[in-house]
Amino acid sequence: MSTISIQSVSKCYQNGFEALKNVNTEIHSGSFTVVLGPSGAGKSTLLRLINGLETPTTGAVRIGGEAVEEHKLRHIRSRVAMVFQQFNLVDRLSVVTNVLTGRLAQRSWVGSVLYLFRGEDMAIAQRVLARVGLTDKAWSRADKLSGGQQQRVGIARALAQQPKVILADEPVASLDPVSSEEIMTLLREICDRDGITVVVNLHQVELAKRFADRVIGMNGGRVVFDGPPAELSQQTLRTIYQREGIEDDNSLDLALAYA
Amino acid sequence: MNVHDLNSARPQLPPKPRNPMPVWVAATLAMLWLIVWDLEISFETLAYGVEDMAEYFSRYRQPDFSDLSRYLELMGITLATALWGTVFALLVAFFLAPLAARNFAPNPLAYRIARETLNFMRAMPDLLLALIFVAALGLGPLPGALALGVHTTGFLGKFLAESLERVDKGVCEGVASTGADFPQMVMYAGWPSILREALGYVLYILDRNVRMASVLGLVGAGGIGLALHDTLRLFNYGQSAALILVILATILIIDYASAWLRGRLG
Ligand SMILES: Nc1ncnc2c1ncn2[C@@H]1O[C@H](COP(=O)(O)OP(=O)(O)OP(=O)(O)O)[C@@H](O)[C@H]1O
Ligand SMILES: [Mg+2]
């Protein structure tokens, strides 16, 4: 089981800014969840807490009953993979090496620091590269690929971890509509076929409606909506995207009219 | 309107500001004259001095390459000294730099210790280190290589640590999010990202060590510097000139070679 449970989590950054305010939620194993919300709502913070890239100020995050804690990060991260908006690949390394990075947590540093991998790891890398359709780019340098291809390498790296959970922080924000569609389809298929829990931060309401099982709406560090995408009415969208201190927000109405 | 009218209508300018420049120039000249007078410099001897210098340098006019094979061998020893000093620096810096980079260091204590060690090594002048090592280990290239190694580890380590600190935060997080540990972070997110910069630093240090190794010969650390020291003391101008030319040529070749190498690594 790999249910993610977020228990009374608050996050106060060093500068005193409270990015999350007492968030409570459970994300079920094998589900596809999309987190929506305006910029600064705390979506990235929430995702980064699950992977241990940030630590909660109060409260706890558990994955399959195990708390995400400093001394267990290697173990937790080996099961909770992350996909980034800027792909975050190592530019100078080949596509295969970037994918093999996903195997690091399973191997001691002794061989891996010399870029030596076992045959089984190479087999996994080949399988996931075929899965994302980049077999022929295996030996290219990562920074020679297009944005869409780089994001597929990012997903391949995540898959190589053979994780229980994949967290994707705005995975399509830097991509064109066609690549965005490909990436979302790929993530959905990973969820359906491998039973991997997928949590995606998005800015596109339309993509959320089409791909998500469940939508979590955030605003000002709180969860303000939680339900299936079918319940995303104009009214709920207004609640999710409303801006502090603005009652009749014309640009909000305009922006949501076509959502 | 005639000319007279124009003159009578001339508006008054504000008072002219005083320009202190002539005073400064005069004062400076007076000062210079005082100095010349005080040092009893006569321009006559200065002119002879220039003549003397010209005469002195003209003694180097005919480089004596009769012993060239020995000079090349000595240059080879000096190059080897510089190379081993650089290899030493690279090896030690390779392990210390990641510890001395804030974003990679596994804990603050390791960071502090690595930083201070590098600072200490950098603060020890290599000429002084060479004197000490020569006294401890005897004459020869080994103390020279060690002196260069210790001193330039401080530099190289600091340069590399600062490059590592500039590695994109996202790239670090990308590798860290897979669960990589400290050595894996360094080998996957660290070194590959700064490879080009690091090569530049290593070549710069090698370049510098070749120059310095020639000088270290003077304190007994062997190589071409020692030979130059001897020929200069024996007033053997032809051989000195040849030795100086060999050193200059070598440094130029190394310069071009490192520029070429850096260009190759895109
Ligand atoms: N390291 C940090 N230090 C201080 N404040 C931070 C830090 N990271 C984020 N914040 C602040 O926390 C708030 C929430 O940030 P977060 O990145 O989680 O928002 P987000 O919902 O992902 O926004 P976006 O849609 O723009 O990515 C923002 O106001 C941001 O300025
Ligand atoms: Mg964000």
Side-chain angles (χ1 to χ4, degrees):
Chain A
M1 278 303 280
S2 55
T3 300
I4 304 166
S5 64
I6 293 161
Q7 300 159 340
S8 323
V9 164
S10 299
K11 173 67 187 178
C12 197
Y13 279 111
Q14 219 109 58
N15 60 5
F17 187 86
E18 209 180 359
L20 290 180
K21 296 163 189 162
N22 193 30
V23 172
N24 277 290
T25 191
E26 291 232 324
I27 296 170
H28 295 294
S29 184
S31 64
F32 195 109
T33 307
V34 166
V35 184
L36 290 177
S39 281
K43 307 182 295 293
S44 299
T45 307
L46 183 70
L47 238 59
R48 293 164 62 84
L49 282 167
I50 300 174
N51 180 269
L53 283 174
E54 305 286 352
T55 37
T57 313
T58 58
V61 177
R62 290 172 184 280
I63 295 164
E66 252 182 300
V68 179
E69 285 169 344
E70 186 75 33
H71 63 278
K72 283 191 286 189
L73 277 187
R74 187 170 164 91
H75 174 65
I76 299 272
R77 285 176 179 170
S78 72
R79 297 187 305 156
V80 183
M82 191 126 182
V83 173
F84 301 84
Q85 174 182 350
Q86 297 303 333
F87 328 128
N88 292 358
L89 305 175
V90 184
D91 285 347
R92 198 170 274 279
L93 294 181
S94 68
V95 166
V96 171
T97 314
N98 267 290
V99 174
L100 283 168
T101 308
R103 303 302 303 156
L104 288 179
Q106 305 299 325
R107 304 292 170 232
S108 87
W109 61 272
V110 178
S112 58
V113 294
L114 299 173
Y115 299 89
L116 297 175
F117 287 90
R118 300 185 188 181
E120 50 193 295
D121 290 337
M122 200 60 196
I124 291 172
Q126 278 170 12
R127 265 206 309 280
V128 297
L129 269 181
R131 179 96 184 260
V132 301
L134 283 175
T135 305
D136 54 330
K137 294 283 182 195
W139 300 105
S140 310
R141 250 175 69 163
D143 57 354
K144 295 280 181 278
L145 271 53
S146 73
Q149 290 171 328
Q150 288 195 40
Q151 193 58 293
R152 282 190 273 152
V153 178
I155 292 175
R157 173 172 71 186
L159 282 175
Q161 292 179 241
Q162 304 190 313
K164 299 269 187 273
V165 178
I166 290 182
L167 309 168
D169 192 0
E170 293 183 36
V172 299
S174 316
L175 304 180
D176 66 64
V178 179
S179 308
S180 299
E181 190 72 25
E182 278 174 13
I183 295 294
M184 288 307 293
T185 310
L186 189 56
L187 286 171
R188 180 74 233 192
E189 187 211 83
I190 287 166
C191 174
D192 292 341
R193 246 176 59 186
D194 308 45
I196 293 176
T197 315
V198 177
V199 186
V200 188
N201 283 352
L202 281 182
H203 274 309
Q204 295 90 336
V205 176
E206 178 264 342
L207 287 178
K209 281 180 175 166
R210 282 176 37 222
F211 287 96
D213 295 330
R214 171 188 175 194
V215 170
I216 294 177
M218 295 192 65
N219 192 317
R222 293 178 210 280
V223 174
V224 294
F225 172 82
D226 191 345
E231 282 177 24
L232 277 178
S233 63
Q234 276 309 307
Q235 191 47 47
T236 51
L237 284 173
R238 283 187 66 101
T239 331
I240 294 174
Y241 284 103
Q242 75 179 322
R243 292 183 282 183
E244 213 171 322
I246 307 177
E247 283 298 319
D248 285 318
D249 196 338
N250 279 328
S251 39
L252 180 66
D253 289 333
L254 268 172
L256 294 179
Y258 301 99
Chain B
M1 218 188 333
N2 59 32
V3 175
H4 184 76
D5 281 343
L6 249 182
N7 278 343
S8 67
R10 194 168 78 179
Q12 276 291 297
L13 288 178
K16 186 178 173 195
R18 238 175 295 167
N19 185 353
M21 198 50 144
V23 180
W24 283 120
V25 172
T28 311
L29 283 177
M31 196 71 163
L32 283 174
W33 183 79
L34 265 176
I35 291 170
V36 168
W37 178 74
D38 185 54
L39 295 178
E40 296 176 25
I41 295 172
S42 102
F43 286 97
E44 209 176 337
T45 39
L46 197 64
Y48 282 128
V50 171
E51 214 169 283
D52 284 349
M53 292 234 274
E55 194 277 323
Y56 178 76
F57 284 119
S58 77
R59 295 180 202 169
Y60 290 88
R61 211 171 30 205
Q62 275 157 344
D64 172 9
F65 283 110
S66 56
D67 234 358
L68 184 62
S69 66
R70 192 175 72 91
Y71 299 164
L72 290 181
E73 192 190 324
L74 287 171
M75 192 70 234
I77 294 176
T78 296
L79 278 178
T81 308
L83 185 69
W84 281 109
T86 311
V87 169
F88 177 97
L90 180 59
L91 280 178
V92 181
F94 180 81
F95 291 101
L96 278 185
L99 294 170
R102 208 180 288 271
N103 51 344
F104 283 95
N107 60 64
L109 183 67
Y111 169 77
R112 271 265 69 90
I113 293 175
R115 271 270 135 143
E116 294 310 329
T117 309
L118 290 176
N119 283 341
F120 177 74
M121 290 173 126
R122 210 171 56 238
M124 299 292 283
D126 34 14
L127 211 56
L128 182 73
L129 285 169
L131 280 169
I132 295 172
F133 287 141
V134 166
L137 304 169
L139 296 172
L142 177 66
L146 269 182
L148 290 175
V150 170
H151 180 64
T152 50
T153 296
F155 274 102
L156 193 58
K158 183 176 149 66
F159 291 161
L160 293 177
E162 280 170 5
S163 286
L164 284 172
E165 285 182 348
R166 285 194 296 271
V167 172
D168 182 52
K169 189 157 169 278
V171 172
C172 290
E173 286 184 350
V175 177
S177 73
T178 67
D181 57 16
F182 166 67
Q184 292 172 335
M185 280 297 292
V186 173
M187 286 311 291
Y188 285 80
W191 294 124
S193 304
I194 66 160
L195 198 61
R196 193 188 149 83
E197 235 173 303
L199 181 79
Y201 290 140
V202 173
L203 289 175
Y204 168 74
I205 293 289
L206 178 65
D207 211 83
R208 178 231 177 254
N209 278 350
V210 171
R211 268 171 255 242
M212 203 58 206
S214 313
V215 175
L216 286 190
L218 299 182
V219 298
I224 203 160
L226 192 57
L228 181 60
H229 185 57
D230 291 342
T231 57
L232 280 175
R233 267 201 323 196
L234 296 172
F235 304 109
N236 197 332
Y237 298 107
Q239 292 193 357
S240 299
L243 285 168
I244 290 172
L245 282 178
V246 169
I247 295 175
L248 284 180
T250 310
I251 288 174
L252 271 179
I253 291 172
I254 297 227
D255 243 29
Y256 280 111
S258 65
W260 176 79
L261 210 66
R262 251 174 288 185
R264 277 291 304 271
L265 204 91

